[in-house]
Amino acid sequence: MDITEIWEDLVWDRGGRIIYLILDGLGGIPHPDRGLTELQAAHTPNFDALAQASSCGLLEIVGPGITPGSGPGHLTLFGYDPLKYRIGRGVLSALGIDFDLQPGDVAARANFATLGPDGQVSDRRAGRIATNLNQRLTQKIRDRVSLDFEGTFFFETVSEHRAVLVLRGADLSGQVQDTDPQSPGIAPHPPKATATKGEKTARLVQSFLRQVTEVLADEHPANGVLLRGFERFDPLPSLYERFALKGVGIADYPMYRGVSRLLGMDVVPHPGGLEARFDTLTSIYGDEYSFYFIHVKKTDSLGEDADFDSKVAKLEQIDQLLPKITALNPEVLVVTADHSTPAVMGRHSWHPVPMMLKAQYARVDQVDRFDDYACAHGLLGRRPGTHLMGLALANAGRMQKYGA
Amino acid sequence: MDITEIWEDLVWDRGGRIIYLILDGLGGIPHPDRGLTELQAAHTPNFDALAQASSCGLLEIVGPGITPGSGPGHLTLFGYDPLKYRIGRGVLSALGIDFDLQPGDVAARANFATLGPDGQVSDRRAGRIATNLNQRLTQKIRDRVSLDFEGTFFFETVSEHRAVLVLRGADLSGQVQDTDPQSPGIAPHPPKATATKGEKTARLVQSFLRQVTEVLADEHPANGVLLRGFERFDPLPSLYERFALKGVGIADYPMYRGVSRLLGMDVVPHPGGLEARFDTLTSIYGDEYSFYFIHVKKTDSLGEDADFDSKVAKLEQIDQLLPKITALNPEVLVVTADHSTPAVMGRHSWHPVPMMLKAQYARVDQVDRFDDYACAHGLLGRRPGTHLMGLALANAGRMQKYGA
């Protein structure tokens, strides 16, 4: 029996408010020269003060040894076991650009790419073309490509080289393999069905890509499109349906706006910047919502850029903004991450992430710093990421007793 | 795969004796003025000495964020995952008054209550009437109420305002909703079936309550009966069937006598008091039983009364009695709880409970005090409550090797 389903039986729509401050890719490992992780190297007096008033621990997000993508990472934090609630990045990206995805739609992430004369990929991101070039090419594709079926397709700019393809019609399936070969020097894969159900969709994608290659033949550097993460959109039960939480997402980056919408949260209009997100939280904090998700992307991006010092600086900047949240004195405040992105590795990793939870009845422990090592000594211990939502609900007084 | 089922395959009826000292609601959180939990505030030299000779840890009883009722809490400690073995308080209460419940019986908890002239509940407990008044009213109900079906009903005094209704006959079901509205100022709910299967039982309960209201019309303050926790009795596999343990329960409070009987343990006659329970353990300790469950209720009741100081005093009193158990030098001695009841909260809570296990081959750790914080540093770590029985069986030499 999945413990998150027991919570569903026990929750009621009363009790306190919960704020999640999610610092994407927060977790790190020590820099070989400095012997400190990003959080250890950062001067973060506000985080440390919060840790001193919190229950601390480590979250192993998806499972031992698993490096989470951002989608599964976030689902986990919201109490949706990603091994059960599967959702592809294509669907998340479409939701994240405020695209009105319908049940049954199939979405895929698209990259404008540079293909060489031999048909091999020479740059998977076409030199990260500007967004306005992306928009022009997208319009060209919409104007000149047509698919022969009882349905329709949408091709939408995300930003820079990124776009989304959505197919809408009967009997579509996400069971189509990526055409993006992930490495340059290889030709794009054909869009093969991975199961019989996916054959109709694969044929449509094949036709789409054949036409796109003609339409973009004279363009440079973006003369091709790569597709990955085909996924049919089957909406998940909402955060309110499952946990009686009226949620709101405060995020700038499409993916996290998408995750919020996927779980039935309201999503505020693009706040437009880090400090603006904190100020938005302050302005909407009140009776309308019981769950507030505020997302910080840069900690992850800088980790992926292998830029240890900038990640440290970013953490110090966020630390200075933290009082904007603690001033609200929410019944439950959680600070944690969807996964680690150690700058030393320059990519997502499997390392558990530090977390702290402040609430009236949380057992405050001896942890006096918020970092990857100190939190290991916290009273919440090291536990699966899905546990977080249950702890937040309990501490908010939002769950009844189990049995008599 | 449920690990407790693996134990079932590995146990044999040889090895040492296990004593569980269960201090109901033991776990706490720090008092805001004192900065100490109940256990930390209590002077408990005997518990602390035992901790110094034990493996210590924390048990998260049902699961993260889950606040256990006493029934599920105890099932967990005995190795019965309460998410799998579900049992209602009606059945437990009936078993707890030594009522000879038969498979297929439906039991519900009953309260004598005061109903106002408008039919609304004015006191759910009828001012906690004396037990002898309860007995007189119970006899009146037995004499004057009759149900028109191929079966019979039993109405039994528990104590004060509490009683139990048992229906015995074919095709009965526990799928009937509570009539107890839980709050005064509301009329009792009708005993509606929550599924088609429950309709026959609901009709019988309706007839029963209609007659009771007439029979008690002239009584004051107990002029009504509220029912809750309808449950069909489907016996669980016994502690002997599952774990080859011949168990005995030493408890005064009905619920815990009920749990013991539910798992096929013998239950000693009411010992009648805290010290008497410890002396009873001494007197029956020997070859007849391999598993001894001794239960202390007051730690929970005082926590529910939000009486921090009295809970502390009770812990000190129990500490003085502990040598009566340690003198027996059992092969395995466990001290723990079924859930936390922090006096600061005045109710059950989700916080993990401290536990210690003393046995010849247990790895003794550095924990030198028995309390909610110290045990977090124990070698057994923080783990699900169901793990306890496996550790006890192993330490008693009652499990064989898994595989060759």
Side-chain angles (χ1 to χ4, degrees), chain B residues 77-139:
Chain B
L77 298 174
F78 297 137
Y80 291 68
D81 182 350
L83 306 184
K84 178 175 167 187
Y85 296 95
R86 296 186 183 230
I87 196 85
R89 192 140 175 167
V91 161
L92 288 173
S93 296
L95 289 163
I97 54 168
D98 298 314
F99 182 86
D100 186 21
L101 211 58
Q102 300 293 313
D105 286 359
V106 168
R109 303 178 78 200
N111 269 14
F112 283 104
T114 311
L115 304 179
D118 51 1
Q120 293 182 352
V121 176
S122 60
D123 185 337
R124 288 180 56 241
R125 300 184 182 90
R128 294 189 183 270
I129 55 170
T131 302
N132 60 2
L133 173 54
N134 178 320
Q135 288 166 331
R136 184 176 67 72
L137 298 176
T138 292
Q139 193 54 51

Side-chain angles (χ1 to χ4, degrees), chain A residues 79-392:
Chain A
Y80 291 69
D81 182 349
L83 306 183
K84 176 175 167 188
Y85 296 95
R86 295 186 183 233
I87 196 82
R89 193 136 176 168
V91 162
L92 289 172
S93 295
L95 289 164
I97 52 167
D98 298 314
F99 183 86
D100 186 23
L101 211 58
Q102 302 291 315
D105 286 358
V106 168
R109 302 179 79 199
N111 270 13
F112 283 103
T114 310
L115 304 180
D118 52 0
Q120 293 183 352
V121 175
S122 61
D123 185 337
R124 286 182 56 244
R125 301 185 183 88
R128 293 189 185 269
I129 56 169
T131 302
N132 60 2
L133 173 55
N134 179 320
Q135 287 165 331
R136 184 175 68 73
L137 299 176
T138 292
Q139 193 55 50
K140 200 168 168 185
I141 289 172
R142 287 178 189 164
D143 292 345
R144 306 219 195 146
V145 172
S146 72
L147 296 182
D148 183 25
F149 81 124
E150 297 276 324
T152 182
F153 81 91
F154 304 87
F155 195 78
E156 306 284 337
T157 295
V158 176
S159 65
E160 294 178 323
H161 56 287
R162 291 181 287 266
V164 174
L165 171 68
V166 176
L167 297 171
R168 178 171 298 163
D171 305 324
L172 298 177
S173 158
Q175 292 174 301
V176 176
Q177 77 170 17
D178 292 357
T179 74
D180 185 342
Q182 291 291 341
S183 305
I186 309 176
H189 300 309
K192 264 202 313 210
T194 56
T196 314
K197 278 214 303 210
E199 286 172 5
K200 174 181 173 178
T201 310
R203 276 195 306 275
L204 290 168
V205 173
Q206 211 170 0
S207 166
F208 173 81
L209 288 172
R210 198 184 314 113
Q211 295 177 61
V212 162
T213 307
E214 289 164 23
V215 168
L216 300 181
D218 299 333
E219 300 287 344
H220 188 78
N223 64 345
V225 163
L226 302 174
L227 297 170
R228 59 195 156 113
F230 288 92
E231 184 88 8
R232 194 181 130 107
F233 178 51
D234 297 303
L236 300 183
S238 75
L239 211 53
Y240 191 80
E241 288 172 90
R242 294 197 66 207
F243 304 133
L245 289 174
K246 296 195 186 85
V248 59
I250 305 172
D252 276 303
Y253 200 86
M255 165 71 103
Y256 311 96
R257 301 174 63 80
V259 175
S260 305
R261 197 170 286 109
L262 181 69
L263 305 185
M265 292 190 228
D266 286 348
V267 179
V268 300
H270 278 277
L274 179 62
E275 185 160 1
R277 265 167 271 154
F278 284 74
D279 291 333
T280 298
L281 174 64
T282 304
S283 66
I284 63 171
Y285 188 75
D287 295 333
E288 189 176 354
Y289 299 110
S290 43
F291 182 81
Y292 301 78
F293 157 49
I294 173 167
H295 181 262
V296 174
K297 176 66 181 170
K298 277 285 178 188
T299 34
D300 176 55
S301 322
L302 294 166
E304 292 208 317
D305 293 344
D307 189 343
F308 190 94
D309 291 337
S310 297
K311 188 174 171 189
V312 169
K314 182 57 67 179
L315 289 168
E316 294 180 345
Q317 184 191 352
I318 300 163
D319 182 74
Q320 290 305 306
L321 295 171
L322 187 66
K324 290 179 186 271
I325 300 185
T326 48
L328 302 173
N329 198 22
E331 285 79 8
V332 175
L333 172 55
V334 170
V335 182
T336 189
D338 57 338
H339 56 77
S340 294
T341 307
V344 169
M345 297 174 67
R347 52 188 165 89
H348 290 204
S349 80
W350 61 91
H351 302 90
V353 298
M355 74 92 119
M356 54 184 164
L357 184 155
K358 180 172 185 282
Q360 183 182 5
Y361 296 132
R363 282 183 180 152
V364 177
D365 52 39
Q366 300 301 311
V367 176
D368 61 358
R369 291 196 40 110
F370 185 57
D371 72 47
D372 321 77
Y373 282 74
C375 285
H377 302 291
L379 266 180
L380 293 175
R382 192 197 58 255
R383 51 174 71 233
T386 47
H387 286 197
L388 177 62
M389 180 53 85
L391 295 172

